[in-house]
Amino acid sequence: MNAVETRELTRTFGTLDAVQGLTLEVPEGSIFALIGPNGAGKTTTIKLLMNLIQPTSGQAMVLNNESRHLGVKDWQRIGYVSENQELPEWMSPSELLAYYRPFYPTWDDALCGTLQEALGLTAAGPLRTLSRGTRMKAALLASLAFSPELVVLDEPFSGLDPLVRDELVRALLEMPGHRPWTVLVSSHDVDEVERLADWIGFINNGRLTLVEPIESLLNRFSLVEVITERETVAELPAVSNWVRHGAAGRTLRFVDTAHDQPESLQRIGAAFPAATIRSSRMSLRDVFLVLARQGAAERS
C-alpha cells in the first residue's frame, strides 16, 4: 500500500522542464525523503502533490485520491508544512493552534501538549516577532496535532540552527500516534535526512534517478582506496558502477556503487592485483555529492 503514487508526472514552465516523467511510490508508514540539489524539482513535485499547481501531464495519487481533486476531507488527513508557508503572523502560537483546532475532527489535545513540550514551544508573542525556527515549530505543531495520515514537509530545515533542527527531527521520530502515518520530506539538508528517513528518492534536473531504502543505498555505495607500489597512480578501468573520486601520489580513490554485490571485492582485486585495497562506508552526504556531480556532468 502506498500513501503517494505518481505516474509520468510532468510540469513545464515555458521551456523549463521542472519535473520530467516522474514515477514514484511512497510506501505507507515510511519516512520518505526526496533529496536533490537546489533547483532539482523537489518543491515543484511537492506543489504538484498538494494541488498547489497543476501538472502538464501525468498523474499523482495522494491517499488514494487524485491530487487535482483533493478536498476538505482529504486535507483533514494531510499535514503540510513549507519553508515559504504563509501564516497569520498577527497570531501567537497558542492562538494559531486554537484557530486550527475546529477544522480537524481528529485534533488531539493530549498529542498537541506532548508535541508542544517536545518542541519547547513556549513563546507567546505574535508570530511576526518570533524567530524563523519558532514559526516553523508552530507550523509543524499545527500540522501534527490532529494526527494526520500523511505529513508533507517542504525544506523544513532550511535556515534553521542545529538545535531547532534537532528538535524538529526528534518530534517527528518520537511522535506518538494511534494509527500508521507517513512522512514525505523534501530537503537538501542530507545530515538531517540521514537521521530521519528510511527511504530515499534522489531527483536531479527534474528526473528521479533512484528510489530505495536508505540502508540499501548506504550498503551499496562504498569509497574504495587503491594504493599501488608504482610511482604513478593506477588508471581506473571503465566499469559501469565505478566512479572516479580523485587521486594523489600512489593512491587512487573511486566510488563503487554496487559494493553490496558478492563479487565486488573480487572484481576490484582482479583489476588491481598488486595493490593494497581499502574500502569504507559512505555517509548519505557523501553519496549525495556523488549523485549531484554525476547529474551536473550529464547536464554540461
Side-chain angles (χ1 to χ4, degrees), residues 23-268:
T23 296
L24 172 69
E25 295 180 352
V26 177
E28 187 179 82
S30 67
I31 301 181
F32 190 107
L34 186 65
I35 65 174
N38 287 332
K42 301 185 299 297
T43 292
T44 300
T45 299
I46 296 296
K47 287 182 175 179
L48 289 167
L49 296 176
M50 296 293 95
N51 197 27
L52 297 176
I53 58 176
Q54 295 292 303
T56 304
S57 61
Q59 184 185 54
M61 301 294 292
V62 178
L63 298 179
N64 293 320
N65 294 304
E66 190 173 1
S67 62
R68 302 172 193 240
H69 303 139
L70 292 176
V72 172
K73 290 190 179 298
D74 300 305
W75 284 109
Q76 290 174 339
R77 304 163 64 201
I78 301 171
Y80 171 61
V81 179
S82 168
E83 66 169 332
N84 298 316
Q85 190 169 352
E86 292 186 10
L87 297 172
E89 296 201 332
W90 53 272
M91 289 185 179
S92 67
S94 60
E95 289 170 336
L96 180 71
L97 296 173
Y99 173 74
Y100 270 55
R101 190 180 188 279
F103 293 106
Y104 299 98
T106 58
W107 188 276
D108 187 332
D109 286 327
L111 175 60
C112 183
T114 299
L115 290 171
Q116 189 166 4
E117 182 177 353
L119 289 168
L121 186 58
T122 58
L127 290 169
R128 66 172 175 270
T129 67
L130 304 179
S131 68
R132 186 179 181 283
T134 301
R135 294 197 301 272
M136 184 62 73
K137 287 181 184 180
L140 182 64
L141 177 55
S143 296
L144 295 180
F146 57 95
S147 191
E149 294 174 48
L150 174 65
V151 179
V152 179
L153 308 174
D154 184 20
E155 296 289 0
F157 309 115
S158 180
L160 302 181
D161 67 56
L163 178 59
V164 174
R165 292 184 185 199
D166 183 69
E167 289 170 335
L168 293 180
V169 169
R170 283 194 295 107
L172 290 167
L173 289 174
E174 299 172 7
M175 178 179 167
H178 307 295
R179 58 185 179 185
W181 67 305
T182 306
V183 178
L184 172 60
V185 53
S186 77
S187 182
H188 59 268
D189 293 301
V190 291
D191 291 334
E192 307 304 339
V193 164
E194 186 168 3
R195 296 174 54 205
L196 180 64
D198 48 29
W199 276 80
I200 290 290
F202 187 84
I203 188 171
N204 204 359
N205 304 324
R207 294 189 178 277
L208 194 67
T209 59
L210 68 82
V211 176
E212 64 183 291
I214 188 169
E215 191 62 26
S216 168
L217 178 68
L218 295 181
N219 285 336
R220 191 161 61 82
F221 276 67
S222 184
L223 179 62
V224 178
E225 288 188 327
V226 176
I227 305 170
T228 67
E229 296 296 330
R230 295 179 296 177
E231 293 294 329
T232 57
V233 73
E235 291 297 322
L236 182 66
V239 177
S240 61
N241 53 279
W242 292 356
V243 181
R244 187 179 175 88
H245 195 66
R250 295 183 292 112
T251 302
L252 170 68
R253 295 180 180 87
F254 67 92
V255 175
D256 181 3
T257 65
H259 203 67
D260 57 337
Q261 296 180 359
E263 67 275 12
S264 175
L265 290 176
Q266 291 90 330
R267 187 186 302 121
I268 296 171

